Amino acid sequence: MSRWHHDLPASYTVETAGVMAVVLFTIMILMGQALRLSGETRGMFQLHEQVERVRHEPEHKEDRTISIQSSGNGWELEITAPVFRPENFLRLWSLAQDVQSGK
């Protein structure tokens, strides 16, 4: 008798082949979904970063909002953000200080 010879019925081999096919198919589906989700998340982060950079540029001083669209494999997103105006923030900050100090 050889070293690798096992006396298993053929039904175990067929069942194992069926189970392995299901397991490998499941792993393939999960990896595909993980890559899709990773690409979607990366695309959304890049779009958000682009909106943040554009809303701080001085040439958009007269605009009220910045709106940029992007799409990828199975997803689409539009981000609208107000143009950054530091003078408005400073006014609100000084108002909050005045209210806190009781003036």
Side-chain angles (χ1 to χ4, degrees):
M1 189 147 72
S2 72
R3 185 174 132 190
W4 297 103
H5 182 70
H6 298 287
D7 291 330
L8 295 175
S11 64
Y12 285 143
T13 308
V14 172
E15 288 174 6
T16 304
V19 169
M20 284 302 295
V22 169
V23 167
L24 292 175
F25 185 71
T26 303
I27 290 172
M28 181 183 70
I29 295 291
L30 290 175
M31 287 180 65
Q33 290 297 318
L35 289 173
R36 183 196 59 78
L37 185 62
S38 172
E40 181 179 338
T41 304
R42 192 176 311 118
M44 289 181 181
F45 270 110
Q46 288 174 348
L47 178 64
H48 186 78
E49 181 181 8
Q50 183 182 5
V51 168
E52 287 298 319
R53 288 184 189 277
V54 169
R55 72 184 283 246
H56 285 82
E57 291 176 354
E59 51 268 4
H60 297 289
K61 192 167 128 181
E62 300 302 320
D63 298 336
R64 294 186 57 75
T65 60
I66 298 295
S67 182
I68 301 177
Q69 283 184 307
S70 183
S71 63
N73 189 12
W75 63 273
E76 186 174 324
L77 181 66
E78 178 180 2
I79 297 179
T80 303
V83 172
F84 180 68
R85 292 196 169 88
E87 66 275 5
N88 291 344
F89 175 74
L90 293 174
R91 285 186 194 122
L92 289 173
W93 185 263
S94 64
L95 177 66
Q97 285 180 334
D98 291 344
V99 168
Q100 184 181 15
S101 66
K103 290 183 181 179

